[in-house]
mmCIF file of all heavy atoms in Angstrom:
data_model
loop_
_atom_site.group_PDB
_atom_site.id
_atom_site.type_symbol
_atom_site.label_atom_id
_atom_site.label_comp_id
_atom_site.label_asym_id
_atom_site.label_seq_id
_atom_site.Cartn_x
_atom_site.Cartn_y
_atom_site.Cartn_z
ATOM 1 N N ALA A 254 -47.285 -10.030 -79.825
ATOM 2 C CA ALA A 254 -46.416 -10.684 -80.810
ATOM 3 C C ALA A 254 -47.181 -11.765 -81.558
ATOM 4 O O ALA A 254 -47.044 -11.903 -82.785
ATOM 5 C CB ALA A 254 -45.198 -11.290 -80.104
ATOM 6 N N ALA A 255 -47.997 -12.527 -80.841
ATOM 7 C CA ALA A 255 -48.800 -13.565 -81.493
ATOM 8 C C ALA A 255 -49.809 -12.940 -82.449
ATOM 9 O O ALA A 255 -50.036 -13.457 -83.550
ATOM 10 C CB ALA A 255 -49.516 -14.407 -80.435
ATOM 11 N N LEU A 256 -50.393 -11.810 -82.050
ATOM 12 C CA LEU A 256 -51.339 -11.122 -82.933
ATOM 13 C C LEU A 256 -50.631 -10.620 -84.186
ATOM 14 O O LEU A 256 -51.141 -10.778 -85.308
ATOM 15 C CB LEU A 256 -51.986 -9.969 -82.177
ATOM 16 C CG LEU A 256 -52.948 -9.074 -82.970
ATOM 17 C CD1 LEU A 256 -54.087 -9.876 -83.574
ATOM 18 C CD2 LEU A 256 -53.498 -7.953 -82.061
ATOM 19 N N ASP A 257 -49.455 -10.037 -84.025
ATOM 20 C CA ASP A 257 -48.692 -9.544 -85.184
ATOM 21 C C ASP A 257 -48.328 -10.679 -86.143
ATOM 22 O O ASP A 257 -48.283 -10.481 -87.365
ATOM 23 C CB ASP A 257 -47.412 -8.844 -84.716
ATOM 24 C CG ASP A 257 -47.701 -7.524 -84.011
ATOM 25 O OD1 ASP A 257 -48.820 -7.005 -84.174
ATOM 26 O OD2 ASP A 257 -46.809 -7.040 -83.285
ATOM 27 N N ASP A 258 -48.081 -11.869 -85.579
ATOM 28 C CA ASP A 258 -47.726 -13.034 -86.398
ATOM 29 C C ASP A 258 -48.953 -13.773 -86.916
ATOM 30 O O ASP A 258 -48.816 -14.803 -87.594
ATOM 31 C CB ASP A 258 -46.867 -14.012 -85.585
ATOM 32 C CG ASP A 258 -45.492 -13.455 -85.267
ATOM 33 O OD1 ASP A 258 -45.061 -12.511 -85.969
ATOM 34 O OD2 ASP A 258 -44.861 -13.947 -84.310
ATOM 35 N N LEU A 259 -50.147 -13.235 -86.604
ATOM 36 C CA LEU A 259 -51.420 -13.880 -86.947
ATOM 37 C C LEU A 259 -51.511 -15.293 -86.369
ATOM 38 O O LEU A 259 -52.170 -16.173 -86.940
ATOM 39 C CB LEU A 259 -51.629 -13.908 -88.467
ATOM 40 C CG LEU A 259 -51.731 -12.526 -89.130
ATOM 41 C CD1 LEU A 259 -51.983 -12.672 -90.621
ATOM 42 C CD2 LEU A 259 -52.829 -11.681 -88.477
ATOM 43 N N ASP A 260 -50.870 -15.495 -85.230
ATOM 44 C CA ASP A 260 -51.008 -16.735 -84.458
ATOM 45 C C ASP A 260 -52.228 -16.533 -83.557
ATOM 46 O O ASP A 260 -52.122 -16.378 -82.335
ATOM 47 C CB ASP A 260 -49.734 -16.975 -83.644
ATOM 48 C CG ASP A 260 -49.740 -18.312 -82.914
ATOM 49 O OD1 ASP A 260 -50.714 -19.079 -83.078
ATOM 50 O OD2 ASP A 260 -48.774 -18.572 -82.165
ATOM 51 N N LEU A 261 -53.405 -16.538 -84.200
ATOM 52 C CA LEU A 261 -54.596 -15.995 -83.549
ATOM 53 C C LEU A 261 -55.139 -16.869 -82.429
ATOM 54 O O LEU A 261 -55.694 -16.357 -81.458
ATOM 55 C CB LEU A 261 -55.681 -15.738 -84.599
ATOM 56 C CG LEU A 261 -55.295 -14.701 -85.664
ATOM 57 C CD1 LEU A 261 -56.422 -14.501 -86.660
ATOM 58 C CD2 LEU A 261 -54.913 -13.375 -85.018
ATOM 59 N N ARG A 262 -55.003 -18.164 -82.538
ATOM 60 C CA ARG A 262 -55.485 -19.024 -81.447
ATOM 61 C C ARG A 262 -54.698 -18.744 -80.156
ATOM 62 O O ARG A 262 -55.276 -18.680 -79.066
ATOM 63 C CB ARG A 262 -55.385 -20.496 -81.836
ATOM 64 C CG ARG A 262 -56.364 -20.908 -82.930
ATOM 65 C CD ARG A 262 -56.189 -22.366 -83.316
ATOM 66 N NE ARG A 262 -57.023 -22.729 -84.446
ATOM 67 C CZ ARG A 262 -58.208 -23.327 -84.362
ATOM 68 N NH1 ARG A 262 -58.712 -23.630 -83.183
ATOM 69 N NH2 ARG A 262 -58.895 -23.629 -85.445
ATOM 70 N N TRP A 263 -53.391 -18.607 -80.284
ATOM 71 C CA TRP A 263 -52.560 -18.348 -79.114
ATOM 72 C C TRP A 263 -52.771 -16.926 -78.608
ATOM 73 O O TRP A 263 -52.860 -16.684 -77.405
ATOM 74 C CB TRP A 263 -51.096 -18.589 -79.459
ATOM 75 C CG TRP A 263 -50.141 -18.520 -78.316
ATOM 76 C CD1 TRP A 263 -48.946 -17.860 -78.295
ATOM 77 C CD2 TRP A 263 -50.237 -19.172 -77.040
ATOM 78 N NE1 TRP A 263 -48.305 -18.054 -77.089
ATOM 79 C CE2 TRP A 263 -49.080 -18.852 -76.293
ATOM 80 C CE3 TRP A 263 -51.203 -19.991 -76.453
ATOM 81 C CZ2 TRP A 263 -48.861 -19.317 -74.992
ATOM 82 C CZ3 TRP A 263 -50.990 -20.458 -75.155
ATOM 83 C CH2 TRP A 263 -49.833 -20.122 -74.439
ATOM 84 N N ALA A 264 -52.889 -15.978 -79.523
ATOM 85 C CA ALA A 264 -53.156 -14.596 -79.119
ATOM 86 C C ALA A 264 -54.474 -14.493 -78.374
ATOM 87 O O ALA A 264 -54.594 -13.756 -77.379
ATOM 88 C CB ALA A 264 -53.171 -13.679 -80.351
ATOM 89 N N LEU A 265 -55.476 -15.238 -78.830
ATOM 90 C CA LEU A 265 -56.789 -15.212 -78.196
ATOM 91 C C LEU A 265 -56.708 -15.730 -76.758
ATOM 92 O O LEU A 265 -57.295 -15.148 -75.844
ATOM 93 C CB LEU A 265 -57.775 -16.059 -79.007
ATOM 94 C CG LEU A 265 -59.230 -16.076 -78.556
ATOM 95 C CD1 LEU A 265 -59.835 -14.686 -78.634
ATOM 96 C CD2 LEU A 265 -60.029 -17.043 -79.412
ATOM 97 N N GLU A 266 -55.963 -16.807 -76.563
ATOM 98 C CA GLU A 266 -55.847 -17.349 -75.206
ATOM 99 C C GLU A 266 -55.091 -16.407 -74.290
ATOM 100 O O GLU A 266 -55.524 -16.125 -73.170
ATOM 101 C CB GLU A 266 -55.175 -18.722 -75.226
ATOM 102 C CG GLU A 266 -55.063 -19.344 -73.840
ATOM 103 C CD GLU A 266 -54.751 -20.812 -73.836
ATOM 104 O OE1 GLU A 266 -54.715 -21.429 -74.924
ATOM 105 O OE2 GLU A 266 -54.541 -21.363 -72.736
ATOM 106 N N LEU A 267 -53.963 -15.896 -74.754
ATOM 107 C CA LEU A 267 -53.165 -15.005 -73.917
ATOM 108 C C LEU A 267 -53.938 -13.737 -73.553
ATOM 109 O O LEU A 267 -53.952 -13.316 -72.394
ATOM 110 C CB LEU A 267 -51.871 -14.630 -74.640
ATOM 111 C CG LEU A 267 -50.848 -15.751 -74.844
ATOM 112 C CD1 LEU A 267 -49.707 -15.265 -75.722
ATOM 113 C CD2 LEU A 267 -50.314 -16.249 -73.515
ATOM 114 N N ALA A 268 -54.562 -13.106 -74.531
ATOM 115 C CA ALA A 268 -55.317 -11.879 -74.265
ATOM 116 C C ALA A 268 -56.507 -12.159 -73.360
ATOM 117 O O ALA A 268 -56.893 -11.314 -72.534
ATOM 118 C CB ALA A 268 -55.786 -11.261 -75.588
ATOM 119 N N GLY A 269 -57.100 -13.351 -73.493
ATOM 120 C CA GLY A 269 -58.214 -13.727 -72.631
ATOM 121 C C GLY A 269 -57.817 -13.823 -71.171
ATOM 122 O O GLY A 269 -58.589 -13.460 -70.274
ATOM 123 N N TRP A 270 -56.600 -14.304 -70.891
ATOM 124 C CA TRP A 270 -56.136 -14.370 -69.501
ATOM 125 C C TRP A 270 -56.154 -12.991 -68.857
ATOM 126 O O TRP A 270 -56.573 -12.830 -67.712
ATOM 127 C CB TRP A 270 -54.707 -14.909 -69.439
ATOM 128 C CG TRP A 270 -54.519 -16.311 -69.890
ATOM 129 C CD1 TRP A 270 -55.483 -17.240 -70.185
ATOM 130 C CD2 TRP A 270 -53.257 -16.956 -70.121
ATOM 131 N NE1 TRP A 270 -54.906 -18.417 -70.583
ATOM 132 C CE2 TRP A 270 -53.537 -18.276 -70.544
ATOM 133 C CE3 TRP A 270 -51.937 -16.545 -70.000
ATOM 134 C CZ2 TRP A 270 -52.527 -19.183 -70.863
ATOM 135 C CZ3 TRP A 270 -50.929 -17.443 -70.304
ATOM 136 C CH2 TRP A 270 -51.230 -18.750 -70.739
ATOM 137 N N LEU A 271 -55.678 -11.999 -69.592
ATOM 138 C CA LEU A 271 -55.561 -10.651 -69.037
ATOM 139 C C LEU A 271 -56.929 -10.075 -68.675
ATOM 140 O O LEU A 271 -57.067 -9.384 -67.659
ATOM 141 C CB LEU A 271 -54.856 -9.737 -70.041
ATOM 142 C CG LEU A 271 -53.406 -10.112 -70.358
ATOM 143 C CD1 LEU A 271 -52.899 -9.321 -71.554
ATOM 144 C CD2 LEU A 271 -52.515 -9.894 -69.142
ATOM 145 N N VAL A 272 -57.937 -10.361 -69.477
ATOM 146 C CA VAL A 272 -59.281 -9.847 -69.216
ATOM 147 C C VAL A 272 -59.939 -10.603 -68.067
ATOM 148 O O VAL A 272 -60.780 -10.053 -67.350
ATOM 149 C CB VAL A 272 -60.132 -9.925 -70.502
ATOM 150 C CG1 VAL A 272 -61.604 -9.671 -70.219
ATOM 151 C CG2 VAL A 272 -59.612 -8.916 -71.522
ATOM 152 N N ARG A 273 -59.536 -11.851 -67.858
ATOM 153 C CA ARG A 273 -60.174 -12.671 -66.828
ATOM 154 C C ARG A 273 -59.394 -12.745 -65.524
ATOM 155 O O ARG A 273 -59.634 -13.604 -64.686
ATOM 156 C CB ARG A 273 -60.423 -14.071 -67.386
ATOM 157 C CG ARG A 273 -61.561 -14.060 -68.380
ATOM 158 C CD ARG A 273 -61.759 -15.350 -69.132
ATOM 159 N NE ARG A 273 -62.960 -15.296 -69.931
ATOM 160 C CZ ARG A 273 -63.080 -14.623 -71.085
ATOM 161 N NH1 ARG A 273 -62.031 -13.985 -71.563
ATOM 162 N NH2 ARG A 273 -64.213 -14.591 -71.739
ATOM 163 N N LEU A 274 -58.473 -11.821 -65.333
ATOM 164 C CA LEU A 274 -57.729 -11.755 -64.070
ATOM 165 C C LEU A 274 -58.597 -11.262 -62.915
ATOM 166 O O LEU A 274 -58.289 -11.519 -61.751
ATOM 167 C CB LEU A 274 -56.537 -10.800 -64.212
ATOM 168 C CG LEU A 274 -55.296 -11.341 -64.925
ATOM 169 C CD1 LEU A 274 -54.308 -10.216 -65.178
ATOM 170 C CD2 LEU A 274 -54.648 -12.428 -64.094
ATOM 171 N N GLU A 275 -59.660 -10.519 -63.225
ATOM 172 C CA GLU A 275 -60.542 -9.959 -62.206
ATOM 173 C C GLU A 275 -61.993 -10.171 -62.630
ATOM 174 O O GLU A 275 -62.284 -10.428 -63.804
ATOM 175 C CB GLU A 275 -60.287 -8.448 -62.028
ATOM 176 C CG GLU A 275 -58.841 -8.072 -61.722
ATOM 177 C CD GLU A 275 -58.399 -8.506 -60.341
ATOM 178 O OE1 GLU A 275 -59.278 -8.788 -59.505
ATOM 179 O OE2 GLU A 275 -57.178 -8.555 -60.101
ATOM 180 N N THR A 276 -62.901 -10.066 -61.648
ATOM 181 C CA THR A 276 -64.325 -10.176 -61.952
ATOM 182 C C THR A 276 -64.925 -8.778 -62.110
ATOM 183 O O THR A 276 -64.422 -7.796 -61.553
ATOM 184 C CB THR A 276 -65.083 -10.918 -60.840
ATOM 185 O OG1 THR A 276 -64.876 -10.248 -59.591
ATOM 186 C CG2 THR A 276 -64.594 -12.359 -60.723
ATOM 187 N N ASP A 277 -66.015 -8.711 -62.872
ATOM 188 C CA ASP A 277 -66.723 -7.437 -63.018
ATOM 189 C C ASP A 277 -67.736 -7.291 -61.877
ATOM 190 O O ASP A 277 -67.764 -8.099 -60.944
ATOM 191 C CB ASP A 277 -67.382 -7.336 -64.394
ATOM 192 C CG ASP A 277 -68.463 -8.386 -64.614
ATOM 193 O OD1 ASP A 277 -68.878 -9.064 -63.643
ATOM 194 O OD2 ASP A 277 -68.907 -8.549 -65.769
ATOM 195 N N ASP A 278 -68.585 -6.266 -61.961
ATOM 196 C CA ASP A 278 -69.507 -5.992 -60.853
ATOM 197 C C ASP A 278 -70.636 -7.010 -60.742
ATOM 198 O O ASP A 278 -71.421 -6.964 -59.790
ATOM 199 C CB ASP A 278 -70.086 -4.576 -60.969
ATOM 200 C CG ASP A 278 -70.795 -4.321 -62.295
ATOM 201 O OD1 ASP A 278 -70.916 -5.265 -63.104
ATOM 202 O OD2 ASP A 278 -71.231 -3.180 -62.530
#
């Protein structure tokens, strides 16, 4: 929703959480 609204700073933070929930190899 933030991305669709071009609320990019907030979208960046939220999407970043999802990628950083786990560690890579």
